[in-house]
Amino acid sequence: MHNQCSDWPTPPAAAVPGQARFRELLVPRVLAFESFRKAIEAGPGADAALRDVAALAHKIAGAAEVVGYPNAGEFSAALETSILRGFAAGATVAGIWREAAPLFERLLDEMECILDA
């Protein structure tokens, strides 16, 4: 399901070089997320793949807002938090993924919108 793209403010001129690099990294990151999703849904290695999703979401959350994409930063942080809370609570990988999957989809949609802009 493709959601409507978020409106984001034009970044300050100083952020433009960082924004270009952020955008360059989006395609490999989308591909990585899709690879992690396949591993999670396949079963074996799902725990590690889910942790990889959280780690990559953390990287995106740390940079997105700085370069002018606050919604991508917010969605990334929410995804990371959801996964880490699930692990901390002792939830199963399937349970964590059930909770995190909508956030994961929302982040991917946002990343695609950024690429399409």
Side-chain angles (χ1 to χ4, degrees):
M1 177 172 84
H2 188 73
N3 295 329
Q4 180 177 339
C5 294
S6 301
D7 292 322
W8 52 80
T10 302
V16 173
Q19 185 183 65
R21 180 67 180 143
F22 180 84
R23 289 174 61 92
E24 285 173 15
L25 292 171
L26 283 180
V27 170
R29 288 177 170 176
V30 167
L31 294 174
F33 275 139
E34 291 296 349
S35 174
F36 299 150
R37 177 205 317 252
K38 286 180 185 175
I40 292 165
E41 293 175 352
D47 183 275
L50 197 51
R51 291 180 190 279
D52 288 340
V53 168
L56 185 52
H58 177 82
K59 288 180 182 181
I60 294 168
E65 189 167 345
V66 172
V67 297
Y69 300 115
N71 292 324
E74 178 185 320
F75 300 156
S76 300
L79 176 59
E80 177 193 18
T81 299
S82 174
I83 293 168
L84 296 180
R85 280 187 183 155
F87 279 121
T92 64
V93 169
I96 296 169
W97 183 240
R98 207 171 18 260
E99 293 294 319
L103 297 168
F104 179 87
E105 292 299 331
R106 191 161 185 192
L107 174 58
L108 285 180
D109 285 348
E110 185 68 14
M111 292 168 73
E112 290 171 11
C113 286
I114 292 168
L115 287 168
D116 290 343

